[in-house]
């Protein structure tokens, strides 16, 4: 397939667009490897310099990932996360066309630290419910989520939270709908245990999203920390 050498559009941009069309058509699915530079040169009748510039353009836009010594790979689908709204992981997956999933790692009643007690409005001696779950998209781990609830939500202790939406369960059981949140973002590095759950290397960069979430009344709230595999998310503010 030859490119148009008479066009005012540079050859590398034409090639980048041709490759982009192939990505959109599903010719190269996420995670798959693109043809080698040599193969692309032959297929499109261009120089290696042109191929490298085209791949660099796609790389800068996050459409492909270049791995020295291994080749160029199609970037995995990124989850779009709107930080200005309250949206459950389940709903986010459905909007992206992915099957949401969850696996409960831990559920327990624990004494809160001073900060959590203040945020949750707990009285002295009161405990909080801690739920830790691995969240999956199409069966693949994408984040580790820890939520902390006050006493009103202790009924969750007896619920099956595997492959379930906490928001939906809370709404059905109590009528509470969470609508507001305050978020803090930080880059952290996966511990040994976190890396095992998320199937990444120890020390892999993770995006930590700490949230205080509440409803319209301000009386019902919970705390959440999500450790997201950084290169699987695109944040919008």
């Amino acid at each position: 397939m030859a490119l148009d050498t008479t066009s005012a559009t540079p050859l590398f941009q034409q090639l980048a667009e041709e490759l982009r069309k192939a990505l959109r058509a599903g010719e190269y699915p996420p995670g798959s490897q693109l043809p080698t530079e040599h193969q692309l040169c032959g297929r499109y009748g261009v120089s290696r310099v042109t191929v490298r510039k085209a791949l660099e353009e796609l790389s800068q836009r996050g459409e492909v990932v270049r791995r020295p010594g291994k080749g160029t790979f199609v970037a995995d689908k990124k989850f779009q996360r709107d930080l200005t709204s309250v949206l459950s992981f389940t709903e986010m997956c459905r909007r992206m066309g992915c099957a949401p999933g969850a696996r409960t790692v831990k559920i327990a009643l624990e004494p809160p630290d001073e900060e959590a007690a203040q945020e949750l409005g707990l009285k002295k001696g009161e405990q909080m419910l801690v739920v830790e779950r691995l969240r999956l998209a199409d069966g693949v781990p994408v984040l580790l989520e820890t939520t902390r609830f006050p006493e009103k939500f202790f009924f969750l202790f007896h619920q099956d939270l595997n492959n379930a939406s906490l928001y939906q369960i809370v709404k059905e059981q109590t009528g509470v709908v969470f609508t507001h949140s305050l978020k803090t973002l930080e880059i952290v590095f996966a511990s040994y245990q976190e890396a095992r759950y998320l199937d990444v290397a120890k020390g892999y960069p993770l995006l930590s999203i700490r949230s205080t979430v509440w409803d319209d009344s301000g009386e019902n709230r919970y705390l959440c920390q999500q450790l997201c595999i950084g290169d699987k998310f695109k944040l919008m503010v």
Side-chain angles (χ1 to χ4, degrees), residues 68-85:
K70 295 185 178 180
T72 302
F73 296 80
V74 182
D76 289 330
K77 183 190 303 184
K78 289 184 180 289
F79 295 93
Q80 297 186 15
R81 177 74 181 272
D82 186 354
L83 295 181
T84 64
S85 64

Side-chain angles (χ1 to χ4, degrees), residues 143-160:
L143 67 86
L144 187 62
E145 177 182 79
T146 303
T147 50
R148 295 173 172 84
F149 293 94
E151 184 174 332
K152 178 176 180 177
F153 300 94
F154 280 10
F155 67 88
L156 292 170
F157 190 87
H158 303 288
Q159 301 286 324
D160 181 4

Side-chain angles (χ1 to χ4, degrees), residues 3 12 31 45 80 94-96 98-99 116 130 133 166 168 229:
L3 303 179
F12 81 89
Q80 297 186 15
R94 287 173 177 164
R95 291 186 182 184
M96 294 288 293
C98 298
V130 179
R133 297 194 300 169
L166 276 177
Q168 189 62 34
I229 300 177

Side-chain angles (χ1 to χ4, degrees), residues 20 23-24 31 33 80 112 119 140-141 160-161 211 221 234 237:
R20 194 173 286 116
L23 297 181
R24 292 171 184 160
Q33 186 173 4
Q80 297 186 15
E119 286 284 338
V140 178
D160 181 4
L161 302 180
S211 307
R221 59 177 56 208
K234 179 188 297 184
V237 295

Side-chain angles (χ1 to χ4, degrees), residues 110-167:
E110 297 181 359
D113 58 27
E114 186 176 343
E115 181 179 358
Q118 184 175 359
E119 286 284 338
L120 295 173
L122 301 180
K123 299 176 182 178
K124 186 176 182 179
E126 286 186 334
Q127 292 185 305
M128 62 181 180
L129 177 69
V130 179
V131 180
E132 188 173 3
R133 297 194 300 169
L134 182 64
R135 306 310 309 268
L136 314 170
D138 288 340
V140 178
V142 294
L143 67 86
L144 187 62
E145 177 182 79
T146 303
T147 50
R148 295 173 172 84
F149 293 94
E151 184 174 332
K152 178 176 180 177
F153 300 94
F154 280 10
F155 67 88
L156 292 170
F157 190 87
H158 303 288
Q159 301 286 324
D160 181 4
L161 302 180
N162 290 305
N163 298 320
S165 169
L166 276 177
Y167 277 23

Side-chain angles (χ1 to χ4, degrees), residues 45-212:
V46 295
S47 69
R48 182 160 291 188
V49 172
T50 297
V51 168
R52 288 177 177 172
K53 289 179 70 173
L55 294 177
E56 184 60 28
E57 179 175 310
L58 295 178
S59 176
Q60 289 178 355
R61 296 183 59 169
E63 294 169 290
V64 301
V65 178
R66 307 195 70 187
R67 298 173 183 167
K70 295 185 178 180
T72 302
F73 296 80
V74 182
D76 289 330
K77 183 190 303 184
K78 289 184 180 289
F79 295 93
Q80 297 186 15
R81 177 74 181 272
D82 186 354
L83 295 181
T84 64
S85 64
V86 176
L87 184 68
S88 72
F89 177 84
T90 298
E91 182 60 27
M92 180 186 70
C93 280
R94 287 173 177 164
R95 291 186 182 184
M96 294 288 293
C98 298
R103 178 162 62 86
T104 302
V105 175
K106 181 181 78 171
I107 182 166
L109 299 178
E110 297 181 359
D113 58 27
E114 186 176 343
E115 181 179 358
Q118 184 175 359
E119 286 284 338
L120 295 173
L122 301 180
K123 299 176 182 178
K124 186 176 182 179
E126 286 186 334
Q127 292 185 305
M128 62 181 180
L129 177 69
V130 179
V131 180
E132 188 173 3
R133 297 194 300 169
L134 182 64
R135 306 310 309 268
L136 314 170
D138 288 340
V140 178
V142 294
L143 67 86
L144 187 62
E145 177 182 79
T146 303
T147 50
R148 295 173 172 84
F149 293 94
E151 184 174 332
K152 178 176 180 177
F153 300 94
F154 280 10
F155 67 88
L156 292 170
F157 190 87
H158 303 288
Q159 301 286 324
D160 181 4
L161 302 180
N162 290 305
N163 298 320
S165 169
L166 276 177
Y167 277 23
Q168 189 62 34
I169 293 175
V170 169
K171 181 180 179 180
E172 291 174 353
Q173 296 285 335
T174 67
V176 171
V177 177
F178 297 108
T179 56
H180 301 78
S181 67
L182 179 64
K183 299 181 178 71
T184 302
L185 278 63
E186 182 181 8
I187 298 297
V188 298
F189 300 96
S191 68
Y192 173 77
Q193 193 64 48
E194 292 161 354
R196 286 189 62 195
Y197 285 134
L198 293 170
D199 194 24
V200 297
K202 182 178 181 294
Y204 197 87
L206 304 176
L207 176 65
S208 169
I209 305 177
R210 292 181 176 269
S211 307
T212 302

